[in-house]
């Protein structure tokens, strides 16, 4: 029995030995099959020569390599460990609370050597460096002096100054730089202390830039409304009340050294408003109905005012006077009792009473003139023997031969006192009593009253309007990427593996490079590289900024070389000129700053808009832009945007098939306006404005911690959440054309609020963001033809007082910035 057991044990041992030898033989063969040959190793090394990390597997590591392609399980585990999950579910407010605005790549801070200080208001006021507080009106003094405030000691060779329609890039510059849409520039001595700009020339340059073929309706002369007067009738003097919509110009000055390089940053420019201010909320018809009007007195008779002699022509408290055609064609009026802080007095003469309409939309208006607080005539209004303000009736009354018999023409006259509103670009208005001047032949009898007819302007309809709130970046946005194309094994493993597609990283896979030192794996060098890559936010920012800069350069060169096949040869040259300009200012025109890595995603919303504006600049008539390739051009602009940003974002693995994940990136708030031209002719061009602001309820000051803190920080009840938009170009639309207009909004951070000196801080903005609903005001004001021309086009031929129902399209709504809106 024992012998049998011994034999069985021997047989078992022999069997184990045989199995062990067989297993060893199989493992050796497998190792030979999986061990790269010398030529394979060389090829793999060459394939990975351009990557950031190229470690070679050791002999010990080959023992654990996978059967499929010679890659170890640890290698695969490491690659799979980079696959990210969906974005965290933090709220917008929670994300905002985590943002450090002082170290924010998307909103870089610039430190120019020179800041500009200018008088606020319309023509005179308190010097300030606050943006959007200086309003230059076309009928006032259009020169403005900017004083220099030096932020550091400089020894400059000269000082360069520039005026642009869009913000400057802000960083260092040279004296030879010519940014896109530069309207004016010049040089001063290195010791200059101020700069004077003539904004009438700036406006002319902008008009020529956007509208090479000037509109026949654009005119403004000597502060008066001038009309073509003929003997056809009384209402031939009715014409266009010329309103120039507000637009923003950016002014900067920077010192340069002997090589022409700026000393410190050049700055983004001080925003200055040019155009006619809009009514402040305090001047609504409801409030004005109960307001006290100031006095307006007419002289006894036409001609020069006198205080001497037996029959002095002085001012009398009368509401109605007669003016004969045989006398002087001037008549003087004296306003008094208007607010002491008046910056401008506006005088208007019309053919109907002023019961309806604000000062910038006055039915039946035939004449308008103004004086400012700086004018000698204005300063003399308070004198005992003031000569008042003279109105020139020769500019609008009919010829004597055209005057009706036995009828006086009823002219209404009023004065408007205008003061600076709290909101940027607005004016608060006070109105005088209305006086009537009856003009006609001697012994004329009754008055003739003309019917009032409202004309609807043929402007684009707004089919829809939407607001999309800010998507704040995640606090760890820089670690998150996404696969943009299918990579091969060799690309993923940096030279190792096959040329077959790597199934673990299909397009759309999210990659998370968040360093986890405690999770160091077999590929320890890779973890070290990731940690080093993100070790310095400054170094990463430099890499990202350089990538964005190169992408912009590619975009510019691509746009300039776009060809629109449908264009006739005569338009190819102007189109190339327009595309060259578009390459410089295009993204800025819809508000995209040059620091967003997802600029292509944002700009693709506005390709139709960019194409239409470019074709308008090329001088292509609006009714031809669809025929001659607007859609084709929009498509090519979109292709260039996609192409310019297709290269891989900087990443620690040096992979060229990944980009920063847009789900984790900052995406600014934006408006989308869908316009449509339902008419058989092109619509006029216009200008868009948008504000999102509010007045805090100061009754809660001391009780509401948010309001209390904001008032303590800035001393103002007025807050503005996003930087206002003034003067965005709305091109002429072809008949039947639909146009989507995106408006990117930028947080109001780093600059002072109107009337304040301290810039809005991160803390201040976060408080502002949590204030609840804001007042949103969108307006598009169009360059309308004279109302008499529009009335004839619509079939009206009778003598009447014609007026437009509006000057454009206007919407107001209340909105919490965290909410979406659509209408």
């Amino acid at each position: 029995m024992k012998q049998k057991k011994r034999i069985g044990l021997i047989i078992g041992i022999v069997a184990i030995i045989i199995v062990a030898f067989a297993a060893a033989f199989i493992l050796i063969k497998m190792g030979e099959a999986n061990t790269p040959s010398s030529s394979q190793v060389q090829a793999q090394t060459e394939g990975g020569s351009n990557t950031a990390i190229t470690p070679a597997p050791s002999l010990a590591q080959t023992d654990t390599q996978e059967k499929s392609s010679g890659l170890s399980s640890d290698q695969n585990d490491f690659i799979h460990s980079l696959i990210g999950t969906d974005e965290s579910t933090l709220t917008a407010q929670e994300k905002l609370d985590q943002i450090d605005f002082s170290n924010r790549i998307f909103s870089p801070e610039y430190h120019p050597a020179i800041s500009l200080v200018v008088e606020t208001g319309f023509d005179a006021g308190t010097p300030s460096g606050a943006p959007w507080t200086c309003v230059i009106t076309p009928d006032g003094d259009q020169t403005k002096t900017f004083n220099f405030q030096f932020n550091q000691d400089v020894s400059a060779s000269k000082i360069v100054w520039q005026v642009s329609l869009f913000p400057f890039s802000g960083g260092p510059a040279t004296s030879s730089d010519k940014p896109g849409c530069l309207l004016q520039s010049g040089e001063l001595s290195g010791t200059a202390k101020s700069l004077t700009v003539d904004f009438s020339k700036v406006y002319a340059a902008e008009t020529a830039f956007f509208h090479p073929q000037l509109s026949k309706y654009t005119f403004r002369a000597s502060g008066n409304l001038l009309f073509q007067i003929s003997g056809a009738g009384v209402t031939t003097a009715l014409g266009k009340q010329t309103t120039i919509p507000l637009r923003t110009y950016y002014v900067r000055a920077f010192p340069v050294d002997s090589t022409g390089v700026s000393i410190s940053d050049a700055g983004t420019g001080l925003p200055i408003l040019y155009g006619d201010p809009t009514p402040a909320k305090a001047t609504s018809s409801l409030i004005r109905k109960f307001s006290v009007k100031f006095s307006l007195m007419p002289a006894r008779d036409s001609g020069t005012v006198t205080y001497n002699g037996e029959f002095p022509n002085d001012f009398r408290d009368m509401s109605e006077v007669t003016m004969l055609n045989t006398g002087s064609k001037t008549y003087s009026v004296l306003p008094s009792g208007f607010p002491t802080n008046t910056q401008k007095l506006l005088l208007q003469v019309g053919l109907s009473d002023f019961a309806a309409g604000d000062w910038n939309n006055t039915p039946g208006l035939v004449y308008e003139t103004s004086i400012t607080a700086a004018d000698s005539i204005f300063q003399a209004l308070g004198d005992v023997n003031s000569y008042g303000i003279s109105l020139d009736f020769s500019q609008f009354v009919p010829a004597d031969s055209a005057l009706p018999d036995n009828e006086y023409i009823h002219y209404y006259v009023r004065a408007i006192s205008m003061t600076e509103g709290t909101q940027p670009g607005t004016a608060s208005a006070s109105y005088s009593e209305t006086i009537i001047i009856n003009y006609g032949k001697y012994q004329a009898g009754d008055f003739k009253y003309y019917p009032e007819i409202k004309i609807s302007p043929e402007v684009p309809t707004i089919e829809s309007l939407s607001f999309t709130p800010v998507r704040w970046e995640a606090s760890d946005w820089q670690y998150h990427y996404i696969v943009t194309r299918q990579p091969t094994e060799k690309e993923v493993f940096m030279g190792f593996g096959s040329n077959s597609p790597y199934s673990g990283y299909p397009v759309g896979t999210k990659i998370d490079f968040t360093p986890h030192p405690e999770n160091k794996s077999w590929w320890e060098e890779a973890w070290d590289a990731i940690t080093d890559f993100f070790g310095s936010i400054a170094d990463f920012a430099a890499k990202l900024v350089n990538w964005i800069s190169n992408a912009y350069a590619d975009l510019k060169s691509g746009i300039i070389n776009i060809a629109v096949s449908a264009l006739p040869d005569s338009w190819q040259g102007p189109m190339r000129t327009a595309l060259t300009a578009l390459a410089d200012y295009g993204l800025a025109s819809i508000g995209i700053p040059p620091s967003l890595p997802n600029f292509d995603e944002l700009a693709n919303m506005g390709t139709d808009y960019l194409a239409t504006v470019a074709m308008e600049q090329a001088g292509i008539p609006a009714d031809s832009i669809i025929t001659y390739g607007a859609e084709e051009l929009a498509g090519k602009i979109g292709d260039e945007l996609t192409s310019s940003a297709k290269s891989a974002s900087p990443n620690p693995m040096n992979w060229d098939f990944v980009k920063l994940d847009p789900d984790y990136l900052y995406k600014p708030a934006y408006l989308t306006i869908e316009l449509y031209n339902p008419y058989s002719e092109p619509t006029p061009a216009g200008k868009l404005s948008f504000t999102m602001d509010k007045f805090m309820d100061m009754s809660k000051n001391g009780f509401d911690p948010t309001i209390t803190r904001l008032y303590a920080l800035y001393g103002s009840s007025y807050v503005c959440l996003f930087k206002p938009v003034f003067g965005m170009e709305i091109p002429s639309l072809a008949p039947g054309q639909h146009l989507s207009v995106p408006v990117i909004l930028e947080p109001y951070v780093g600059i002072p609020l109107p009337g304040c000196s301290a810039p809005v801080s991160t803390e201040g903005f976060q408080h502002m963001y949590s204030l609840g609903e804001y007042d949103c005001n969108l307006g598009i004001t169009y360059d309308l033809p004279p109302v008499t021309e529009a009335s004839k086009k619509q079939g009206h031929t009778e003598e009447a007082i014609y007026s437009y129902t509006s000057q454009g399209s206007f919407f107001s709504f209340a909105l919490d910035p965290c909410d979406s809106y659509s209408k």
Side-chain angles (χ1 to χ4, degrees):
M1 194 68 182
K2 290 182 181 180
Q3 183 68 24
K4 288 182 178 179
K5 288 182 178 180
R6 186 176 295 114
I7 294 171
L9 179 63
I10 293 171
I11 294 172
I13 292 172
V14 171
I16 291 171
I17 293 172
I18 293 172
V19 170
F21 272 106
F25 178 81
I26 292 172
L27 288 174
I28 290 172
K29 290 298 183 180
M30 289 177 63
E32 290 175 351
N34 290 332
T35 301
S37 66
S38 59
S39 60
Q40 288 174 325
V41 172
Q42 182 180 3
Q44 290 168 349
T45 304
E46 291 173 351
S49 60
N50 293 325
T51 59
I53 309 165
T54 55
S58 64
L59 289 176
Q61 292 160 355
T62 60
D63 289 338
T64 57
Q65 285 176 328
E66 292 187 340
K67 190 172 184 178
S68 60
S69 58
L71 298 172
S72 73
S73 60
D74 286 334
Q75 286 176 298
N76 277 285
D77 288 345
F78 168 75
I79 291 299
H80 278 279
S81 72
L82 297 179
I83 297 178
T85 58
D86 292 335
E87 186 185 5
S88 65
T89 57
L90 293 178
T91 66
Q93 186 64 50
E94 289 170 336
K95 287 183 180 180
L96 176 60
D97 292 339
Q98 294 179 356
I99 295 174
D100 179 6
F101 279 80
S102 61
N103 291 297
R104 193 165 179 254
I105 294 175
F106 308 118
S107 183
E109 290 187 9
Y110 300 107
H111 303 283
I114 295 176
S115 297
L116 300 180
V117 177
V118 65
E119 288 182 329
T120 60
F122 303 129
D123 292 277
T126 305
S128 171
W132 293 288
T133 55
C134 176
V135 183
I136 299 162
T137 56
D139 55 359
D141 182 3
Q142 298 190 61
T143 61
K144 189 64 71 170
T145 297
F146 299 84
N147 294 318
F148 296 165
Q149 178 178 295
F150 289 88
N151 303 318
Q152 63 186 70
D153 293 332
V154 297
S155 177
S157 173
K158 57 187 175 183
I159 295 176
V160 177
W161 63 271
Q162 298 172 327
V163 184
S164 173
L165 191 58
F166 303 115
F168 297 95
S169 60
T174 68
S175 57
S176 60
D177 286 346
K178 302 297 180 185
C181 205
L182 186 67
L183 301 177
Q184 264 202 330
S185 63
E187 296 179 351
L188 303 169
S189 71
T191 58
K193 304 297 181 184
S194 65
L195 158 69
T196 300
V197 179
D198 184 348
F199 283 89
S200 65
K201 296 180 179 178
V202 175
Y203 174 64
E206 182 214 339
T207 304
F209 179 84
F210 273 118
H211 307 283
Q213 299 171 343
L214 294 179
S215 168
K216 63 180 179 180
Y217 306 125
T218 302
F219 54 90
R220 194 100 174 215
S222 304
N224 298 329
L225 296 179
L226 303 181
F227 307 109
Q228 296 297 320
I229 307 302
S230 68
V234 175
T235 60
T236 53
L238 287 171
K240 178 186 178 185
Q241 181 175 5
T242 311
T243 298
I244 295 181
L246 288 169
R247 69 282 321 280
T248 303
Y249 295 133
Y250 294 84
V251 184
R252 72 174 180 180
F254 56 93
V256 298
D257 58 24
S258 58
T259 65
V261 177
S262 64
I263 300 172
S264 190
D265 293 329
T268 56
L270 176 65
I272 300 296
L273 291 176
Y274 180 91
D276 292 304
T278 57
K281 293 176 183 177
T283 61
S284 68
S285 58
L286 179 62
I287 295 175
R288 210 169 50 239
K289 181 178 179 182
F290 300 101
S291 64
V292 177
K293 294 185 176 182
F294 59 88
S295 172
L296 182 66
M297 296 189 295
R300 289 175 182 265
D301 201 355
S302 60
T304 305
V305 171
T306 61
Y307 287 92
N308 301 316
E310 184 178 358
F311 302 104
N313 187 26
D314 54 0
F315 295 102
R316 296 297 178 185
D317 188 6
M318 298 181 291
S319 61
E320 192 167 349
V321 294
T322 300
M323 179 180 180
L324 299 178
N325 67 305
T326 54
S328 171
K329 291 297 190 291
T330 63
Y331 212 107
S332 296
V333 295
L334 178 64
S336 62
F338 49 83
T340 55
N341 62 337
T342 297
Q343 292 178 278
K344 177 185 292 186
L345 277 172
L346 194 65
L347 276 296
Q348 293 183 332
V349 181
L351 285 170
S352 62
D353 201 354
F354 300 112
D358 232 309
W359 81 83
N360 58 353
N361 186 19
T362 306
L365 187 70
V366 296
Y367 177 82
E368 182 180 88
T369 189
S370 66
I371 59 173
T372 69
D375 294 334
S376 58
I377 295 175
F378 183 101
Q379 296 169 4
L381 291 177
D383 295 348
V384 175
N385 294 328
S386 173
Y387 289 94
I389 303 171
S390 179
L391 306 176
D392 187 0
F393 276 65
S394 67
Q395 296 196 36
F396 55 88
V397 296
D400 289 348
S401 59
L403 285 173
D405 293 326
N406 301 317
E407 290 178 353
Y408 283 127
I409 303 173
H410 221 33
Y411 288 114
Y412 296 82
V413 183
R414 71 173 174 181
I416 302 123
S417 162
M418 299 175 66
T419 58
E420 182 184 6
T422 304
Q423 298 162 286
T426 63
S428 297
S430 300
Y431 295 80
S432 75
E433 299 288 350
T434 299
I435 62 176
I436 300 172
I437 299 178
N438 303 312
Y439 180 82
K441 296 178 180 179
Y442 183 68
Q443 291 184 341
D446 297 332
F447 303 108
K448 182 175 182 179
Y449 293 91
Y450 297 92
E452 294 188 20
I453 298 177
K454 296 287 186 179
I455 301 297
S456 296
E458 294 187 347
V459 299
T461 60
I462 295 182
E463 293 188 302
S464 66
L465 167 65
S466 64
F467 170 83
T468 303
V470 175
R471 184 186 67 198
W472 297 105
E473 68 267 27
S475 59
D476 60 346
W477 63 268
Q478 66 269 34
Y479 302 123
H480 294 274
Y481 291 71
I482 190 169
V483 175
T484 58
R485 66 170 178 82
Q486 178 65 62
T488 64
E489 272 190 354
K490 185 174 291 185
E491 289 175 316
V492 172
F493 293 95
M494 300 172 297
F496 297 99
S498 70
N499 288 317
S500 301
Y502 181 67
S503 60
Y505 276 11
V507 174
T509 302
K510 291 180 178 293
I511 305 297
D512 185 354
F513 284 124
T514 303
H516 299 290
E518 68 279 6
N519 290 338
K520 284 187 176 182
S521 64
W522 170 86
W523 210 344
E524 183 170 328
E525 184 180 346
W527 281 117
D528 290 340
I530 292 174
T531 303
D532 293 343
F533 185 85
F534 295 111
S536 168
I537 187 67
D539 290 344
F540 176 70
K543 296 171 186 174
L544 188 59
V545 168
N546 184 61
W547 175 78
I548 296 172
S549 177
N550 290 334
Y552 261 77
D554 291 343
L555 173 63
K556 289 181 180 181
S557 62
I559 286 179
I560 290 171
N561 293 320
I562 287 177
V564 182
S565 58
L567 285 178
D569 292 342
S570 60
W571 281 343
Q572 291 287 349
M575 189 71 244
R576 184 173 179 82
T577 300
L579 289 174
T580 302
L582 177 67
D584 281 331
Y585 81 82
L587 302 190
S589 69
I590 54 179
I592 298 178
S595 56
L596 296 179
N598 53 341
F599 70 87
D600 56 321
E601 174 191 6
L602 298 172
N604 260 305
M605 296 187 298
T607 54
D608 290 345
Y609 170 82
L610 296 172
T612 302
V613 171
M615 299 189 83
E616 182 179 67
Q617 278 185 256
I620 299 172
D623 55 3
S624 300
I625 64 172
I626 294 179
T627 303
Y628 289 115
E631 293 182 3
E632 178 188 359
L633 178 57
K636 289 186 176 181
I637 291 174
D639 292 342
E640 291 300 332
L641 283 165
T642 302
S643 175
S644 63
K646 71 179 181 181
S647 61
S649 306
N651 65 85
M653 304 295 283
N654 211 14
W655 283 336
D656 66 357
F657 53 85
V658 296
K659 283 181 60 175
L660 285 165
D661 189 341
D663 288 343
Y664 289 79
L665 293 176
Y666 166 71
K667 189 174 184 179
Y670 61 91
L671 294 169
T672 304
I673 302 104
E674 302 291 341
L675 300 176
Y676 171 61
N677 177 9
Y679 306 104
S680 59
E681 294 187 9
T683 57
K687 294 289 185 181
L688 179 146
S689 64
F690 178 76
T691 56
M692 189 170 182
D693 52 15
K694 71 184 301 178
F695 288 93
M696 296 186 295
D697 183 356
M698 295 312 296
S699 67
K700 297 181 180 179
N701 186 28
F703 303 96
D704 185 315
T706 299
I707 292 176
T708 303
R709 183 55 180 159
L710 282 170
Y711 190 73
L713 284 171
Y714 309 115
S716 172
S717 62
Y718 173 78
V719 290
C720 189
L721 188 66
F722 295 109
K723 294 179 181 179
V725 176
F726 290 110
M728 181 174 175
E729 181 75 8
I730 298 298
S732 177
L733 269 61
Q737 183 181 2
H738 294 263
L739 183 65
S740 179
V741 181
V743 185
I744 311 298
L745 303 174
E746 187 176 355
Y748 203 105
V749 179
I751 52 177
L753 292 164
C756 305
S757 56
V760 175
S761 63
T762 302
E763 177 195 357
F765 181 79
Q766 289 170 328
H767 284 307
M768 288 160 52
Y769 202 78
S770 61
L771 275 176
E773 288 190 341
Y774 277 76
D775 297 321
C776 300
N777 292 282
L778 170 73
I780 305 177
T781 304
Y782 291 95
D783 183 20
L784 301 176
V787 68
T788 48
E789 181 173 322
S791 64
K792 291 178 182 178
K793 182 180 176 182
Q794 296 185 26
H796 297 282
T797 58
E798 65 269 35
E799 284 267 310
I801 297 172
Y802 297 101
S803 62
Y804 282 118
T805 55
S806 72
Q807 297 292 313
S809 303
F810 304 91
F811 287 95
S812 296
F813 52 95
L815 178 67
D816 188 303
C818 294
D819 296 335
S820 298
Y821 173 86
S822 62
K823 179 178 176 64

